[in-house]
Amino acid sequence: MSEMSARAVLTTTRSVRRRLDLDRPVDLAVVRDCLEVALQAPSGSNAQRWHWLVLTDPDQRAAVGQVYRRACLEYLDSPGAAGRLHEQDPERSAVQQRVHSSVAHLAEVMGRVPVLVIPCLRVPGGGLPEGNQAGLWGSLLPAAWSYMLAARTRGLATAWTTLHLAHEREVAEILGLPADVHQGALIPTAHHTGTGFKPAPRQPLDEVLHLNKWA
């Protein structure tokens, strides 16, 4: 595990798609260690209803990868696809085109990534509540991000993906999930090729910061 400042971890944990090493095995003990870190994340009422599927079996990974690929192709053909955003801004459009291309690449290789992690919530009664679900998902998604941060410090690369949720029940059937278990993300996990990562370009803070009111 490398010694990294909190700022370095938080600003260089990227969604890695093209540079995932598809051939180098990932030690399951390292994944377990990252998940131990994830379990320290906040959980509403300390309910800790999270569950974690870790897929290492080639057939299971391939089956989930096929669903992800189909969902991703649907997304890439939609008006909201990354490559269609900010088309009037040449600088941002160039970035979006790179994102679009890397998303397409991940769609083709997702089923070959050595480890796939699916964070889930078990919801009492099975159904998702109507209205505000911030507290519900806020009891899982910070833990999933903590997993990704922990993986970064241990030399692993990850990517935040949710496109497969368009076909969530199909993946649930592949994995044998009970009806009251809901998936929150799909996180490919692998060693990475190339050298380190740097902070990504972002909008200036003052363009998105509002003090006291929206003015």
Side-chain angles (χ1 to χ4, degrees):
M1 182 168 58
S2 62
E3 291 293 330
M4 301 176 65
S5 69
R7 183 180 182 87
V9 175
L10 289 166
T11 59
T12 64
T13 299
R14 306 261 60 87
S15 280
V16 181
R17 304 179 186 94
R18 288 189 176 279
R19 294 171 55 186
L20 296 170
D21 191 331
L22 304 178
D23 299 316
R24 182 178 173 186
V26 173
D27 187 346
L28 185 57
V30 178
V31 175
R32 289 178 60 93
D33 188 36
C34 294
L35 289 173
E36 291 282 2
V37 172
L39 296 186
Q40 293 298 314
S43 172
S45 300
N46 197 33
Q48 301 180 53
R49 294 193 178 100
W50 43 45
H51 290 266
W52 305 82
L53 279 85
V54 177
L55 310 183
T56 60
D57 178 79
D59 292 336
Q60 292 290 78
R61 288 184 287 129
V64 171
Q66 287 180 358
V67 177
Y68 180 83
R69 180 180 183 277
R70 178 162 25 101
C72 190
L73 292 178
E74 293 167 358
Y75 158 75
L76 292 172
D77 195 40
S78 72
R84 293 185 170 89
L85 301 181
H86 306 294
E87 290 181 322
Q88 306 308 314
D89 183 336
E91 185 174 346
R92 291 194 69 179
S93 179
V95 174
Q96 293 303 123
Q97 291 299 323
R98 291 195 294 272
V99 172
H100 192 99
S101 176
S102 69
V103 169
H105 174 79
L106 182 59
E108 299 299 326
V109 303
M110 178 68 87
R112 296 169 51 203
V113 178
V115 175
L116 301 179
V117 174
I118 303 179
C120 300
L121 273 179
R122 194 158 207 166
V123 180
L128 295 173
E130 294 184 4
N132 185 2
Q133 294 187 12
L136 178 71
W137 293 109
S139 296
L140 176 68
L141 303 189
W145 179 235
S146 289
Y147 166 78
M148 295 173 67
L149 295 173
R152 169 81 176 97
T153 68
R154 288 156 178 78
L156 298 177
T158 58
W160 182 268
T161 77
T162 57
L163 292 175
H164 81 289
L165 295 176
H167 305 286
E168 180 180 3
R169 294 317 305 168
E170 186 175 347
V171 173
E173 291 176 6
I174 292 171
L175 302 177
L177 298 184
D180 60 349
V181 172
H182 299 271
Q183 302 161 57
L186 170 61
I187 305 174
T189 304
H191 291 279
H192 60 82
T193 61
T195 55
F197 301 94
K198 60 184 180 181
R202 290 290 188 259
Q203 291 174 262
L205 174 60
D206 287 336
E207 291 185 7
V208 295
L209 174 64
H210 308 270
L211 290 177
N212 300 317
K213 60 181 182 179
W214 189 268

